[in-house]
PDB file of all heavy atoms in Angstrom:
ATOM      1  N   LEU A   1      -0.354  -2.278  15.289  1.00 82.00           N
ATOM      2  CA  LEU A   1       0.949  -2.887  15.525  1.00 82.00           C
ATOM      3  C   LEU A   1       1.149  -4.025  14.536  1.00 82.00           C
ATOM      4  O   LEU A   1       0.317  -4.913  14.404  1.00 82.00           O
ATOM      5  CB  LEU A   1       1.039  -3.416  16.959  1.00 82.00           C
ATOM      6  CG  LEU A   1       1.156  -2.369  18.056  1.00 82.00           C
ATOM      7  CD1 LEU A   1       1.162  -3.043  19.424  1.00 82.00           C
ATOM      8  CD2 LEU A   1       2.415  -1.525  17.873  1.00 82.00           C
ATOM      9  N   GLY A   2       2.281  -3.986  13.846  1.00 78.00           N
ATOM     10  CA  GLY A   2       2.597  -5.037  12.898  1.00 78.00           C
ATOM     11  C   GLY A   2       3.591  -6.018  13.481  1.00 78.00           C
ATOM     12  O   GLY A   2       3.770  -6.093  14.710  1.00 78.00           O
ATOM     13  N   PRO A   3       4.271  -6.785  12.622  1.00 66.00           N
ATOM     14  CA  PRO A   3       5.276  -7.733  13.094  1.00 66.00           C
ATOM     15  C   PRO A   3       6.356  -7.028  13.931  1.00 66.00           C
ATOM     16  O   PRO A   3       6.722  -5.898  13.646  1.00 66.00           O
ATOM     17  CB  PRO A   3       5.863  -8.288  11.789  1.00 66.00           C
ATOM     18  CG  PRO A   3       4.785  -8.097  10.782  1.00 66.00           C
ATOM     19  CD  PRO A   3       4.102  -6.820  11.165  1.00 66.00           C
ATOM     20  N   ALA A   4       6.814  -7.716  14.943  1.00 67.00           N
ATOM     21  CA  ALA A   4       7.863  -7.196  15.839  1.00 67.00           C
ATOM     22  C   ALA A   4       7.448  -5.872  16.485  1.00 67.00           C
ATOM     23  O   ALA A   4       8.281  -5.040  16.840  1.00 67.00           O
ATOM     24  CB  ALA A   4       9.173  -7.011  15.087  1.00 67.00           C
ATOM     25  N   GLN A   5       6.131  -5.676  16.660  1.00 71.00           N
ATOM     26  CA  GLN A   5       5.608  -4.494  17.343  1.00 71.00           C
ATOM     27  C   GLN A   5       5.920  -3.191  16.612  1.00 71.00           C
ATOM     28  O   GLN A   5       5.959  -2.118  17.225  1.00 71.00           O
ATOM     29  CB  GLN A   5       6.135  -4.435  18.775  1.00 71.00           C
ATOM     30  CG  GLN A   5       5.710  -5.614  19.622  1.00 71.00           C
ATOM     31  CD  GLN A   5       4.192  -5.711  19.742  1.00 71.00           C
ATOM     32  OE1 GLN A   5       3.567  -4.918  20.415  1.00 71.00           O
ATOM     33  NE2 GLN A   5       3.608  -6.682  19.076  1.00 71.00           N
ATOM     34  N   THR A   6       6.143  -3.252  15.312  1.00 83.00           N
ATOM     35  CA  THR A   6       6.316  -2.033  14.533  1.00 83.00           C
ATOM     36  C   THR A   6       4.952  -1.367  14.332  1.00 83.00           C
ATOM     37  O   THR A   6       3.928  -2.031  14.286  1.00 83.00           O
ATOM     38  CB  THR A   6       6.935  -2.340  13.164  1.00 83.00           C
ATOM     39  OG1 THR A   6       6.123  -3.329  12.491  1.00 83.00           O
ATOM     40  CG2 THR A   6       8.347  -2.900  13.326  1.00 83.00           C
ATOM     41  N   ILE A   7       4.963  -0.046  14.211  1.00 90.00           N
ATOM     42  CA  ILE A   7       3.727   0.703  14.034  1.00 90.00           C
ATOM     43  C   ILE A   7       3.455   0.897  12.544  1.00 90.00           C
ATOM     44  O   ILE A   7       4.350   1.305  11.794  1.00 90.00           O
ATOM     45  CB  ILE A   7       3.794   2.066  14.739  1.00 90.00           C
ATOM     46  CG1 ILE A   7       4.052   1.881  16.233  1.00 90.00           C
ATOM     47  CG2 ILE A   7       2.505   2.856  14.527  1.00 90.00           C
ATOM     48  CD1 ILE A   7       4.247   3.182  16.986  1.00 90.00           C
ATOM     49  N   ILE A   8       2.226   0.620  12.122  1.00 93.00           N
ATOM     50  CA  ILE A   8       1.822   0.812  10.738  1.00 93.00           C
ATOM     51  C   ILE A   8       0.714   1.863  10.723  1.00 93.00           C
ATOM     52  O   ILE A   8      -0.285   1.741  11.428  1.00 93.00           O
ATOM     53  CB  ILE A   8       1.300  -0.490  10.110  1.00 93.00           C
ATOM     54  CG1 ILE A   8       2.356  -1.594  10.214  1.00 93.00           C
ATOM     55  CG2 ILE A   8       0.908  -0.252   8.653  1.00 93.00           C
ATOM     56  CD1 ILE A   8       1.858  -2.951   9.745  1.00 93.00           C
ATOM     57  N   TRP A   9       0.895   2.896   9.889  1.00 94.00           N
ATOM     58  CA  TRP A   9      -0.079   3.974   9.777  1.00 94.00           C
ATOM     59  C   TRP A   9      -0.823   3.837   8.451  1.00 94.00           C
ATOM     60  O   TRP A   9      -0.264   4.082   7.392  1.00 94.00           O
ATOM     61  CB  TRP A   9       0.615   5.337   9.849  1.00 94.00           C
ATOM     62  CG  TRP A   9       1.393   5.543  11.121  1.00 94.00           C
ATOM     63  CD1 TRP A   9       2.753   5.486  11.266  1.00 94.00           C
ATOM     64  CD2 TRP A   9       0.859   5.832  12.408  1.00 94.00           C
ATOM     65  NE1 TRP A   9       3.111   5.718  12.575  1.00 94.00           N
ATOM     66  CE2 TRP A   9       1.965   5.941  13.301  1.00 94.00           C
ATOM     67  CE3 TRP A   9      -0.422   6.019  12.900  1.00 94.00           C
ATOM     68  CZ2 TRP A   9       1.801   6.211  14.649  1.00 94.00           C
ATOM     69  CZ3 TRP A   9      -0.580   6.296  14.247  1.00 94.00           C
ATOM     70  CH2 TRP A   9       0.518   6.398  15.099  1.00 94.00           C
ATOM     71  N   PRO A  10      -2.119   3.452   8.486  1.00 95.00           N
ATOM     72  CA  PRO A  10      -2.877   3.287   7.244  1.00 95.00           C
ATOM     73  C   PRO A  10      -3.603   4.578   6.826  1.00 95.00           C
ATOM     74  O   PRO A  10      -4.009   5.378   7.676  1.00 95.00           O
ATOM     75  CB  PRO A  10      -3.907   2.194   7.595  1.00 95.00           C
ATOM     76  CG  PRO A  10      -3.603   1.787   9.018  1.00 95.00           C
ATOM     77  CD  PRO A  10      -2.842   2.915   9.627  1.00 95.00           C
ATOM     78  N   TYR A  11      -3.772   4.725   5.514  1.00 96.00           N
ATOM     79  CA  TYR A  11      -4.528   5.844   4.964  1.00 96.00           C
ATOM     80  C   TYR A  11      -5.529   5.313   3.952  1.00 96.00           C
ATOM     81  O   TYR A  11      -5.170   4.542   3.050  1.00 96.00           O
ATOM     82  CB  TYR A  11      -3.590   6.850   4.277  1.00 96.00           C
ATOM     83  CG  TYR A  11      -2.799   7.656   5.272  1.00 96.00           C
ATOM     84  CD1 TYR A  11      -1.612   7.155   5.808  1.00 96.00           C
ATOM     85  CD2 TYR A  11      -3.250   8.904   5.714  1.00 96.00           C
ATOM     86  CE1 TYR A  11      -0.895   7.877   6.754  1.00 96.00           C
ATOM     87  CE2 TYR A  11      -2.534   9.630   6.662  1.00 96.00           C
ATOM     88  CZ  TYR A  11      -1.366   9.112   7.171  1.00 96.00           C
ATOM     89  OH  TYR A  11      -0.669   9.826   8.115  1.00 96.00           O
ATOM     90  N   LEU A  12      -6.780   5.718   4.126  1.00 96.00           N
ATOM     91  CA  LEU A  12      -7.834   5.341   3.185  1.00 96.00           C
ATOM     92  C   LEU A  12      -7.774   6.307   2.012  1.00 96.00           C
ATOM     93  O   LEU A  12      -7.698   7.519   2.194  1.00 96.00           O
ATOM     94  CB  LEU A  12      -9.189   5.420   3.880  1.00 96.00           C
ATOM     95  CG  LEU A  12     -10.412   5.050   3.044  1.00 96.00           C
ATOM     96  CD1 LEU A  12     -10.380   3.562   2.696  1.00 96.00           C
ATOM     97  CD2 LEU A  12     -11.691   5.391   3.798  1.00 96.00           C
ATOM     98  N   ALA A  13      -7.837   5.748   0.796  1.00 95.00           N
ATOM     99  CA  ALA A  13      -7.707   6.603  -0.393  1.00 95.00           C
ATOM    100  C   ALA A  13      -8.423   5.983  -1.578  1.00 95.00           C
ATOM    101  O   ALA A  13      -8.662   4.765  -1.610  1.00 95.00           O
ATOM    102  CB  ALA A  13      -6.237   6.831  -0.724  1.00 95.00           C
ATOM    103  N   THR A  14      -8.751   6.825  -2.546  1.00 95.00           N
ATOM    104  CA  THR A  14      -9.229   6.309  -3.823  1.00 95.00           C
ATOM    105  C   THR A  14      -8.053   6.265  -4.789  1.00 95.00           C
ATOM    106  O   THR A  14      -7.128   7.081  -4.694  1.00 95.00           O
ATOM    107  CB  THR A  14     -10.344   7.195  -4.409  1.00 95.00           C
ATOM    108  OG1 THR A  14      -9.847   8.538  -4.574  1.00 95.00           O
ATOM    109  CG2 THR A  14     -11.560   7.197  -3.491  1.00 95.00           C
ATOM    110  N   LEU A  15      -8.102   5.308  -5.696  1.00 95.00           N
ATOM    111  CA  LEU A  15      -7.082   5.180  -6.738  1.00 95.00           C
ATOM    112  C   LEU A  15      -7.798   5.245  -8.075  1.00 95.00           C
ATOM    113  O   LEU A  15      -8.605   4.370  -8.391  1.00 95.00           O
ATOM    114  CB  LEU A  15      -6.326   3.863  -6.574  1.00 95.00           C
ATOM    115  CG  LEU A  15      -5.240   3.557  -7.612  1.00 95.00           C
ATOM    116  CD1 LEU A  15      -4.180   4.658  -7.627  1.00 95.00           C
ATOM    117  CD2 LEU A  15      -4.601   2.207  -7.328  1.00 95.00           C
ATOM    118  N   GLU A  16      -7.506   6.288  -8.847  1.00 95.00           N
ATOM    119  CA  GLU A  16      -8.229   6.518 -10.093  1.00 95.00           C
ATOM    120  C   GLU A  16      -7.346   6.191 -11.299  1.00 95.00           C
ATOM    121  O   GLU A  16      -6.133   6.346 -11.266  1.00 95.00           O
ATOM    122  CB  GLU A  16      -8.695   7.978 -10.141  1.00 95.00           C
ATOM    123  CG  GLU A  16      -9.601   8.366  -8.976  1.00 95.00           C
ATOM    124  CD  GLU A  16      -9.931   9.840  -8.945  1.00 95.00           C
ATOM    125  OE1 GLU A  16      -9.364  10.593  -9.771  1.00 95.00           O
ATOM    126  OE2 GLU A  16     -10.720  10.255  -8.084  1.00 95.00           O
ATOM    127  N   GLY A  17      -8.003   5.747 -12.376  1.00 95.00           N
ATOM    128  CA  GLY A  17      -7.294   5.484 -13.629  1.00 95.00           C
ATOM    129  C   GLY A  17      -6.247   4.399 -13.516  1.00 95.00           C
ATOM    130  O   GLY A  17      -5.207   4.467 -14.206  1.00 95.00           O
ATOM    131  N   TYR A  18      -6.496   3.406 -12.698  1.00 96.00           N
ATOM    132  CA  TYR A  18      -5.514   2.334 -12.497  1.00 96.00           C
ATOM    133  C   TYR A  18      -5.746   1.207 -13.497  1.00 96.00           C
ATOM    134  O   TYR A  18      -6.881   0.791 -13.722  1.00 96.00           O
ATOM    135  CB  TYR A  18      -5.602   1.794 -11.071  1.00 96.00           C
ATOM    136  CG  TYR A  18      -4.635   0.672 -10.791  1.00 96.00           C
ATOM    137  CD1 TYR A  18      -3.267   0.879 -10.885  1.00 96.00           C
ATOM    138  CD2 TYR A  18      -5.097  -0.601 -10.448  1.00 96.00           C
ATOM    139  CE1 TYR A  18      -2.370  -0.144 -10.644  1.00 96.00           C
ATOM    140  CE2 TYR A  18      -4.203  -1.621 -10.189  1.00 96.00           C
ATOM    141  CZ  TYR A  18      -2.847  -1.388 -10.295  1.00 96.00           C
ATOM    142  OH  TYR A  18      -1.954  -2.414 -10.047  1.00 96.00           O
ATOM    143  N   HIS A  19      -4.658   0.695 -14.080  1.00 95.00           N
ATOM    144  CA  HIS A  19      -4.759  -0.318 -15.131  1.00 95.00           C
ATOM    145  C   HIS A  19      -3.917  -1.559 -14.819  1.00 95.00           C
ATOM    146  O   HIS A  19      -3.239  -2.108 -15.696  1.00 95.00           O
ATOM    147  CB  HIS A  19      -4.349   0.277 -16.482  1.00 95.00           C
ATOM    148  CG  HIS A  19      -5.212   1.451 -16.902  1.00 95.00           C
ATOM    149  ND1 HIS A  19      -6.536   1.317 -17.258  1.00 95.00           N
ATOM    150  CD2 HIS A  19      -4.936   2.778 -16.979  1.00 95.00           C
ATOM    151  CE1 HIS A  19      -7.049   2.495 -17.557  1.00 95.00           C
ATOM    152  NE2 HIS A  19      -6.093   3.403 -17.394  1.00 95.00           N
ATOM    153  N   ASN A  20      -3.952  -1.989 -13.574  1.00 94.00           N
ATOM    154  CA  ASN A  20      -3.311  -3.243 -13.149  1.00 94.00           C
ATOM    155  C   ASN A  20      -1.794  -3.256 -13.368  1.00 94.00           C
ATOM    156  O   ASN A  20      -1.199  -4.311 -13.597  1.00 94.00           O
ATOM    157  CB  ASN A  20      -3.955  -4.439 -13.855  1.00 94.00           C
ATOM    158  CG  ASN A  20      -5.389  -4.639 -13.455  1.00 94.00           C
ATOM    159  OD1 ASN A  20      -5.759  -4.485 -12.296  1.00 94.00           O
ATOM    160  ND2 ASN A  20      -6.232  -4.963 -14.434  1.00 94.00           N
ATOM    161  N   THR A  21      -1.167  -2.111 -13.273  1.00 96.00           N
ATOM    162  CA  THR A  21       0.286  -2.053 -13.369  1.00 96.00           C
ATOM    163  C   THR A  21       0.901  -2.293 -12.002  1.00 96.00           C
ATOM    164  O   THR A  21       0.291  -2.001 -10.969  1.00 96.00           O
ATOM    165  CB  THR A  21       0.738  -0.687 -13.897  1.00 96.00           C
ATOM    166  OG1 THR A  21       0.182   0.346 -13.052  1.00 96.00           O
ATOM    167  CG2 THR A  21       0.271  -0.482 -15.327  1.00 96.00           C
ATOM    168  N   PHE A  22       2.117  -2.818 -11.977  1.00 96.00           N
ATOM    169  CA  PHE A  22       2.845  -3.000 -10.716  1.00 96.00           C
ATOM    170  C   PHE A  22       4.316  -3.255 -10.990  1.00 96.00           C
ATOM    171  O   PHE A  22       4.704  -3.640 -12.112  1.00 96.00           O
ATOM    172  CB  PHE A  22       2.249  -4.146  -9.887  1.00 96.00           C
ATOM    173  CG  PHE A  22       2.144  -5.467 -10.605  1.00 96.00           C
ATOM    174  CD1 PHE A  22       3.220  -6.342 -10.661  1.00 96.00           C
ATOM    175  CD2 PHE A  22       0.962  -5.821 -11.248  1.00 96.00           C
ATOM    176  CE1 PHE A  22       3.119  -7.550 -11.318  1.00 96.00           C
ATOM    177  CE2 PHE A  22       0.851  -7.029 -11.909  1.00 96.00           C
ATOM    178  CZ  PHE A  22       1.923  -7.900 -11.946  1.00 96.00           C
ATOM    179  N   SER A  23       5.125  -3.043  -9.971  1.00 95.00           N
ATOM    180  CA  SER A  23       6.573  -3.252 -10.063  1.00 95.00           C
ATOM    181  C   SER A  23       6.877  -4.734  -9.835  1.00 95.00           C
ATOM    182  O   SER A  23       6.725  -5.238  -8.715  1.00 95.00           O
ATOM    183  CB  SER A  23       7.295  -2.391  -9.014  1.00 95.00           C
ATOM    184  OG  SER A  23       8.669  -2.714  -8.959  1.00 95.00           O
ATOM    185  N   GLU A  24       7.288  -5.439 -10.871  1.00 93.00           N
ATOM    186  CA  GLU A  24       7.503  -6.890 -10.774  1.00 93.00           C
ATOM    187  C   GLU A  24       8.558  -7.307  -9.758  1.00 93.00           C
ATOM    188  O   GLU A  24       8.425  -8.366  -9.145  1.00 93.00           O
ATOM    189  CB  GLU A  24       7.820  -7.462 -12.146  1.00 93.00           C
ATOM    190  CG  GLU A  24       6.648  -7.350 -13.119  1.00 93.00           C
ATOM    191  CD  GLU A  24       6.920  -8.040 -14.442  1.00 93.00           C
ATOM    192  OE1 GLU A  24       8.006  -8.656 -14.593  1.00 93.00           O
ATOM    193  OE2 GLU A  24       6.053  -7.968 -15.335  1.00 93.00           O
ATOM    194  N   PRO A  25       9.629  -6.515  -9.527  1.00 93.00           N
ATOM    195  CA  PRO A  25      10.574  -6.923  -8.477  1.00 93.00           C
ATOM    196  C   PRO A  25       9.966  -6.956  -7.079  1.00 93.00           C
ATOM    197  O   PRO A  25      10.475  -7.644  -6.194  1.00 93.00           O
ATOM    198  CB  PRO A  25      11.678  -5.858  -8.580  1.00 93.00           C
ATOM    199  CG  PRO A  25      11.599  -5.357  -9.980  1.00 93.00           C
ATOM    200  CD  PRO A  25      10.122  -5.367 -10.295  1.00 93.00           C
ATOM    201  N   GLU A  26       8.884  -6.192  -6.876  1.00 92.00           N
ATOM    202  CA  GLU A  26       8.277  -6.108  -5.547  1.00 92.00           C
ATOM    203  C   GLU A  26       6.950  -6.850  -5.440  1.00 92.00           C
ATOM    204  O   GLU A  26       6.594  -7.348  -4.363  1.00 92.00           O
ATOM    205  CB  GLU A  26       8.033  -4.642  -5.181  1.00 92.00           C
ATOM    206  CG  GLU A  26       9.273  -3.775  -5.105  1.00 92.00           C
ATOM    207  CD  GLU A  26       8.943  -2.335  -4.780  1.00 92.00           C
ATOM    208  OE1 GLU A  26       8.845  -2.013  -3.575  1.00 92.00           O
ATOM    209  OE2 GLU A  26       8.775  -1.539  -5.708  1.00 92.00           O
TER     210      GLU A  26
END
């Protein structure tokens, strides 16, 4: 349960070939 009792569903995963990129607006 997250804020305001919303449900959050997590998934465990591997992330391959990642080079520290991200969306700057977010």
Side-chain angles (χ1 to χ4, degrees):
L1 288 177
Q5 298 300 288
T6 55
I7 301 175
I8 304 174
W9 301 104
Y11 286 84
L12 180 67
T14 58
L15 178 58
E16 301 173 354
Y18 179 61
H19 300 291
N20 295 320
T21 55
F22 54 85
S23 172
E24 294 186 3
E26 299 178 87

